[in-house]
């Protein structure tokens, strides 16, 4: 069924677009919520009169997307996560983690728009994530993950170092006696 969208609808289209959708989708979802109307000559004429307004709205979205892209690419994400001595994180950095970081810095970005290679980061290091913006615009952001060593891990490493030092001292006199 051909419809004209009254508003932006995810995965379907934007305001003023003429789209083919399933009859049930239109009848049960789009029409009751006022998101679309059947494609008739009257509806087409109405949207032709609003065409300039719709284009101005789309152009504003493009400009906002471009400026947001510049801001996101300039911002380096620095995360300190609990990690072991080998650099492996206790947990992972996911799109939700990045969404929360952006929310704390005043940006409202949906979790679904953030893409991390391999779906999550599980080690310490430098990574790149993608944030999908309006009309295929993609911002590539830098993510720096550093390890945060817990007190318990520090104690274990200190014990291990002390044991190795003790072994080295015990082996040194034994070597001197052998000579």
């Amino acid at each position: 069924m051909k419809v004209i969208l009254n508003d932006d609808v995810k995965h379907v289209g934007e305001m003023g677009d003429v789209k083919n959708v399933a009859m049930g989708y239109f009848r049960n979802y789009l029409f009751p919520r006022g998101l679309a109307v059947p494609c008739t000559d009257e509806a087409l004429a109405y949207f032709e009169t609003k065409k300039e307004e719709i284009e101005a709205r789309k152009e504003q979205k493009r400009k906002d997307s471009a400026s947001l892209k510049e801001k996101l690419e300039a911002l380096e994400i620095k995360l300190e996560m609990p990690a072991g001595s080998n650099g492996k994180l206790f947990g992972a950095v996911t799109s939700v983690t990045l969404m929360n970081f952006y929310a704390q810095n005043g940006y409202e970005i949906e979790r679904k728009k953030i893409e991390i290679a391999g779906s999550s980061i599980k080690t310490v290091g430098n990574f790149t994530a993608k944030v999908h913006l309006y009309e295929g615009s993609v911002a590539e952001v830098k993510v720096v993950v550093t390890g945060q060593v817990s007190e318990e891990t520090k104690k274990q490493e200190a014990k291990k170092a002390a044991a190795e030092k003790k072994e080295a001292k015990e082996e040194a006199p034994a070597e001197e006696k052998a000579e």
Side-chain angles (χ1 to χ4, degrees):
M1 171 176 197
K2 267 191 164 182
V3 298
I4 302 174
L5 299 176
N6 281 335
D7 207 350
D8 295 351
V9 180
K10 268 188 184 175
H11 307 297
V12 178
E14 296 180 337
M15 180 183 208
D17 290 351
V18 177
K19 296 288 182 172
N20 273 326
V21 296
M23 181 68 162
Y25 182 57
F26 171 74
R27 183 180 57 239
N28 296 322
Y29 183 77
L30 296 174
F31 188 69
R33 288 169 177 77
L35 298 174
V37 294
C39 185
T40 62
D41 292 335
E42 295 84 26
L44 284 172
Y46 173 74
F47 278 99
E48 277 298 317
T49 62
K50 292 182 75 177
K51 192 172 192 164
E52 287 180 23
E53 179 184 322
I54 293 169
E55 285 302 318
R57 185 171 163 222
K58 287 182 181 181
E59 185 61 34
Q60 183 61 39
K61 282 185 177 181
R62 284 185 200 100
K63 288 179 182 176
D64 292 346
S65 173
S67 69
L68 181 61
K69 180 180 177 180
E70 290 174 11
K71 290 177 185 176
L72 293 180
E73 287 179 345
L75 181 67
E76 183 176 78
I77 301 172
K78 293 182 180 180
L79 299 171
E80 192 170 318
M81 302 288 290
S85 58
N86 60 355
K88 193 170 182 182
L89 298 179
F90 298 134
V93 175
T94 62
S95 57
V96 174
T97 311
L98 298 182
M99 179 188 74
N100 292 336
F101 175 84
Y102 283 129
Q104 290 172 352
N105 288 295
Y107 298 102
E108 198 171 311
I109 298 175
E110 294 177 32
R111 173 188 59 84
K112 293 178 182 178
K113 292 186 176 189
I114 300 171
E115 178 186 333
I116 300 173
S119 76
S120 65
I121 299 171
K122 297 182 180 183
T123 59
V124 172
N126 297 328
F127 302 92
T128 304
K130 294 180 181 178
V131 179
H132 297 275
L133 303 169
Y134 185 70
E135 287 187 338
S137 179
V138 178
E140 296 210 3
V141 295
K142 294 172 233 138
V143 181
V144 178
V145 181
T146 57
Q148 174 187 46
V149 182
S150 67
E151 290 298 319
E152 191 173 306
T153 308
K154 287 180 185 177
K155 288 178 184 176
Q156 288 174 352
E157 289 176 0
K159 284 181 183 178
K160 192 176 181 180
E164 288 175 1
K165 206 176 203 183
K166 187 176 180 181
E167 283 179 16
K169 284 183 180 178
E170 289 175 358
E171 288 178 9
E175 289 177 8
E176 289 176 8
K177 290 179 183 177
E179 291 177 2

